[in-house]
Amino acid sequence: MPRTGFPVMMPVYAKSGITFERGEGVYLYDNKGQRYLDFVGGIAVTGLGHCHPYVVKALKEQADKVWILSNSHTSPPTDRLAERLIDLTFAETVFFQNSGVEAWECGVKTVRKYFSSIGQPQRYRIITFKGCFHGRTLAAIAASKTDKMVKGFGPMVDGFDQVAWGNLNEVRAAITEQTAAIHIEPVIGEGGMKPADPEFLRALRAACDEFGLLLYFDEIQCGMGRTGKLFAHEWAGVTPDVMCIAKALGNGFPIGACLATSKAAQGMTVGTHGSTYGGNPLATAVGNAVLDIMTQPGFLDRVIRKGDYLWQKLDDLVKRHPKIFIEHRGKGLMQGICCAAAISNEDFIKALRAEKLMTVAAGDNMFRLLPPLIVTESEIDEAIAIIDRVTAKMVAA
Ligand SMILES: *Cc1c(COP(=O)(O)O)cnc(C)c1O
């Protein structure tokens, strides 16, 4: 086809017009040599910053060994990553995928298959929460039910019953003899940086135990150290039966994983599920390198400290500019600010970008700050100074 002027990439994203050529740590460099402070990181993906040398080395070394095997075979990095994820969590078994939503959907299939394998196939419905985001496949949009994501894509996949965020009465009232699981993001990311009350997560665990349901957590964004624990649910002291992870596990190399107990995974037998690329040794070599760093003593404590530092700075900012900002929410190094109704978050994000700070939108008219976990206090100060400058201009205008 000759070029028609139609966007060469399907125009489902509003483009910034910036072409980035390389990244290093917390910085991105565009094709004009301009440097940006990146507090997005591919949306909570580059937990260790761009091109972390240790991770780059692991990828290059694996590139000289073997790239792909059928999942009928395995490789040292893939076995090792599965074993380490099991050692570090509630899980007894893992299936690797290539993205967040694939790992998420593997979790949904694991839940459904569990009930069919114990002779209760009528129990296939999953209770989900308003405001949560689980990805963009047909099943994932049916679970989150967000207007702009579902409109025009019907008919929706059946089997997801949505209730209000944080409302235990609604959860309990929604449980029927068809319910299989309760599913939640322990900290809502896209939907507006809302941590679930630890008490609420404990109550969900109790409800699952009471009614024989599986508890399924989506830690694709809030996991992998983002909140200062390797996984966000650790703050509540409860464990799920199934969990999906992705994003920072590969620091930018695509990988996702579905983790489960042996009980929950009992239906996932030979031939029931699969993936061509899932668990390829390039991805799992990177995953191991990421875990090497994140499990070093003190790493997560530093995330907590830097999260507290960012919290104080943002709190102060919101207090100083009550006309521009409404509130500030989040946990660890996933935080965001809600802009006042008169200011669109998208406009604010553009203004920050013009000053070379990258942030990203979230629900509730929010802009999100997701710096790499290796961010320093002085880089946080640099970001705060930019937000302050942009805010002062808006107050003056
Ligand atoms: C990003 C995200 C997903 C989807 O991951 P993809 O890799 O984009 O498919 C699912 N759930 C949560 C909580 C996410 O943040």
Side-chain angles (χ1 to χ4, degrees):
M1 238 345 245
R3 299 266 183 88
T4 58
F6 196 81
V8 293
M9 284 190 271
M10 245 185 235
V12 293
Y13 277 83
K15 292 287 192 188
S16 69
I18 307 170
T19 303
F20 286 110
E21 283 186 337
R22 68 187 180 89
E24 193 184 322
V26 69
Y27 294 105
L28 279 171
Y29 297 83
D30 72 8
N31 58 354
K32 298 180 183 107
Q34 301 261 30
R35 190 178 85 162
Y36 291 73
L37 191 56
D38 183 13
F39 272 37
V40 179
I43 313 197
V45 172
T46 54
L48 303 178
H50 294 283
C51 293
H52 190 291
Y54 183 79
V55 180
V56 171
K57 183 166 162 275
L59 180 62
K60 285 182 174 166
E61 283 177 4
Q62 187 60 41
D64 282 331
K65 292 180 185 162
V66 61
W67 290 23
I68 187 75
L69 300 160
S70 135
N71 267 312
S72 304
H73 313 292
T74 187
S75 64
T78 305
D79 278 342
R80 182 148 181 267
L81 185 59
E83 285 162 7
R84 291 172 89 185
L85 288 171
I86 288 164
D87 292 345
L88 290 164
T89 66
F90 70 95
E92 293 165 274
T93 189
V94 176
F95 191 78
F96 292 113
Q97 306 265 199
N98 312 294
S99 66
V101 77
E102 270 188 325
W104 177 84
E105 196 141 327
C106 180
V108 171
K109 289 176 74 176
T110 301
V111 164
R112 288 191 176 189
K113 198 74 176 173
Y114 166 72
F115 283 99
S116 93
S117 76
I118 60 164
Q120 301 180 27
Q122 76 284 2
R123 286 174 77 169
Y124 67 93
R125 306 195 68 83
I126 299 179
I127 295 173
T128 61
F129 291 90
K130 197 166 166 37
C132 285
F133 174 82
H134 304 300
R136 300 291 198 138
T137 60
L138 284 171
I141 62 176
S144 64
K145 304 188 195 299
T146 307
D147 277 351
K148 71 167 183 200
M149 298 199 305
V150 302
K151 223 173 147 214
F153 291 114
M156 283 296 113
V157 173
D158 179 37
F160 299 97
D161 299 312
Q162 196 174 66
V163 298
W165 173 253
N167 189 325
L168 190 62
N169 291 336
E170 277 199 28
V171 172
R172 293 182 65 93
I175 298 172
T176 70
E177 58 279 12
Q178 292 189 311
T179 305
I182 300 175
H183 180 49
I184 191 168
E185 269 183 278
V187 184
I188 289 189
E190 311 292 317
M193 309 304 248
K194 275 184 235 166
D197 188 337
E199 198 57 53
F200 185 65
L201 293 182
R202 288 194 283 271
L204 295 183
R205 178 70 268 176
C208 285
D209 295 342
E210 183 182 341
F211 294 97
L213 313 177
L214 296 177
L215 182 61
Y216 175 18
F217 287 157
D218 180 344
E219 291 235 13
I220 290 172
Q221 186 159 156
C222 61
M224 297 307 297
R226 200 31 74 186
T227 67
K229 297 275 188 199
L230 192 57
F231 296 104
H233 67 264
E234 293 171 30
W235 289 105
V238 291
T239 56
D241 304 288
V242 181
M243 175 169 79
C244 55
I245 63 174
K247 290 203 163 100
L249 177 59
N251 208 58
F253 197 94
I255 182 171
C258 175
L259 285 63
T261 61
S262 57
K263 176 190 155 193
Q266 65 184 271
M268 302 300 277
T269 52
V270 172
T272 57
H273 187 61
S275 170
T276 298
Y277 294 117
N280 72 77
L282 288 172
T284 53
V286 169
N288 277 306
V290 167
L291 277 185
D292 286 346
I293 294 174
M294 286 194 184
T295 56
Q296 273 169 9
F299 182 89
L300 293 171
D301 292 332
R302 287 194 293 279
V303 173
I304 294 175
R305 277 207 303 280
K306 287 179 285 194
D308 289 345
Y309 186 77
L310 178 63
W311 183 271
Q312 284 160 18
K313 295 280 165 178
L314 293 183
D315 212 48
D316 172 58
L317 202 70
V318 170
K319 288 195 181 113
R320 280 189 288 114
H321 301 292
K323 291 213 175 80
I324 309 283
F325 302 132
I326 294 176
E327 67 163 324
H328 156 230
R329 287 201 296 258
K331 185 149 185 77
L333 286 173
M334 58 185 294
Q335 299 188 33
I337 293 184
C338 293
C339 298
I343 292 150
S344 109
N345 57 344
E346 296 290 358
D347 289 345
F348 199 82
I349 288 164
K350 266 187 216 147
L352 293 174
R353 199 161 63 213
E355 298 291 327
K356 308 289 182 287
L357 171 64
M358 309 292 292
T359 61
V360 64
D364 280 353
N365 203 26
M366 191 175 245
F367 67 93
R368 262 182 289 177
L369 301 165
L370 296 158
L373 309 183
I374 50 123
V375 71
T376 62
E377 289 190 357
S378 75
E379 287 157 350
I380 291 174
D381 290 342
E382 203 179 317
I384 298 295
I386 294 173
I387 302 171
D388 234 343
R389 204 154 67 225
V390 167
T391 310
K393 265 191 215 160
M394 283 204 176
V395 173

